[in-house]
Amino acid sequence: MPLIFVPMSQLLWARVAALLCTCTAFSAAAHGGSLPSHVITDWCIFCWAFGFAFTLLVLLAEAFGFQARVPVSWNNFPITVASYSAHLCLAASILFPLTFLRGQTNNMSSEVKGHRVASTVFSCLATLAYVLEVSLTKARPGEVAGYMATAPGLLKVCQTTVACVIFIYVSSPVTYDSHPALEWCMAVYCICFILSMAVVLMCVGGCTGYLPVPLPKFLSVYALLAVAMYLTATILWPVFQFSKANRNRNRNSRTDLIVVAVLTAVNFLLYLADLAYSARLVFVSVI
């Protein structure tokens, strides 16, 4: 078998560091963290496992030269993986210690505490490694790059990740079934998530040519629609969740409701920025 030479670049080091950190994070949590059955447990393990699995796939594909045989657009796939992994690990780095370390250190053994702290630390390190990878591979002015390497593409990743965190907080327990306006907010989260994820998958799969309209026009119209929908959710969610009728009902989940209100506003700003980018000519060629 011929030897495979892999140049030791900054990008390679960043991916190897991310691979090791995500592996350590979920191994420490699963092996000695004594984590309860909880939606945050499943979410954090998923975040670390996602980063590890797809980073390993990218490393193996590039090491063995399989990029042309993988049925995806390699101009979009690696940076999409890195960007999603960065956001997921960041979310895990925040939610994991808030859920499993804050206020619980006196009630757990030193071994369990050590494993949970290790998971948090390595999750933060993995986030930094993925941020470095994204910064090394994102599009620069004048470069020919895939859509996911541009600012609008990276914004799509942010939008869908924030929506995933919103889904966690509104579904455990369910907090959107007390008024039709809140059900509309949930519909906004779902519709915009599905459409943004569809754009990501079409770009990664190289299927944008199947759209009945040019991609830039589709993205501009969709961004405008998403801004309008999220504007209504940004207003309606806090108005109806914190009304007198719901105040006592949601006393125990008040913090979760505030988190959802903040994340809704964040996603509104992300879609607004997306609209600003989509409404003008992109400074790079989109593949």
Side-chain angles (χ1 to χ4, degrees):
M1 177 182 292
L3 292 177
I4 299 173
F5 175 73
V6 180
M8 303 304 288
S9 62
Q10 284 184 312
L11 182 58
L12 178 61
W13 281 118
R15 287 172 176 165
V16 171
L19 186 75
L20 295 176
C21 289
T22 51
C23 180
T24 305
F26 73 71
S27 297
H31 175 68
S34 297
L35 299 176
S37 178
H38 194 280
V39 64
I40 300 298
T41 302
D42 298 335
W43 168 256
C44 292
I45 295 296
F46 165 77
C47 291
W48 299 324
F50 175 93
F52 174 81
F54 280 96
T55 302
L56 181 61
L57 177 62
V58 170
L59 284 171
L60 291 177
E62 295 198 344
F64 289 95
F66 289 159
Q67 299 97 315
R69 301 182 183 181
V70 180
V72 297
S73 169
W74 206 256
N75 293 303
N76 291 296
F77 184 73
I79 191 169
T80 303
V81 167
S83 185
Y84 267 116
S85 299
H87 286 86
L88 292 175
C89 287
L90 175 61
S93 300
I94 297 172
L95 296 178
F96 186 82
L98 287 178
T99 306
F100 302 118
L101 279 175
R102 187 184 63 172
Q104 300 182 25
T105 54
N106 295 330
N107 301 323
M108 67 179 71
S109 66
S110 58
E111 181 181 357
V112 171
K113 178 182 177 181
H115 279 81
R116 294 185 181 184
V117 169
S119 293
T120 303
V121 170
F122 279 97
S123 182
C124 293
L125 293 175
T127 303
L128 294 176
Y130 283 120
V131 169
L132 175 60
E133 181 181 349
V134 171
S135 68
L136 292 172
T137 54
K138 69 179 182 179
R140 302 297 194 279
E143 290 182 348
V144 177
Y147 175 79
M148 295 307 299
T150 65
L154 295 176
L155 283 171
K156 295 292 188 300
V157 175
C158 297
Q159 294 157 7
T160 52
T161 306
V162 171
C164 286
V165 179
I166 290 176
F167 292 148
I168 292 174
Y169 278 97
V170 300
S171 60
S172 183
V174 175
T175 56
Y176 57 85
D177 59 349
S178 59
H179 195 280
L182 299 177
E183 294 177 352
W184 162 252
C185 293
M186 188 61 184
V188 170
Y189 303 145
C190 293
I191 293 171
C192 292
F193 171 80
I194 291 171
L195 290 178
S196 292
M197 184 58 69
V199 171
V200 172
L201 293 177
M202 284 191 297
C203 291
V204 172
C207 302
T208 55
Y210 294 103
L211 288 172
V213 296
L215 179 62
K217 182 179 293 186
F218 171 80
L219 294 175
S220 297
V221 172
Y222 164 55
L224 179 60
L225 176 64
V227 166
M229 294 176 68
Y230 255 95
L231 177 60
T232 63
T234 303
I235 297 171
L236 294 177
W237 182 268
V239 167
F240 286 92
Q241 283 291 12
F242 302 116
S243 63
K244 291 183 179 180
N246 282 347
R247 193 170 299 166
N248 294 329
R249 178 179 181 270
N250 296 320
R251 187 182 302 274
N252 294 331
S253 58
R254 188 174 184 83
T255 301
D256 292 354
L257 300 179
I258 294 174
V259 170
V260 173
V262 171
L263 292 178
T264 302
V266 169
N267 239 4
F268 167 70
L269 295 177
L270 291 174
Y271 278 106
L272 191 62
D274 194 2
L275 177 61
Y277 275 107
S278 300
R280 65 181 184 177
L281 292 177
V282 182
F283 60 84
V284 294
S285 298
V286 176
I287 295 178

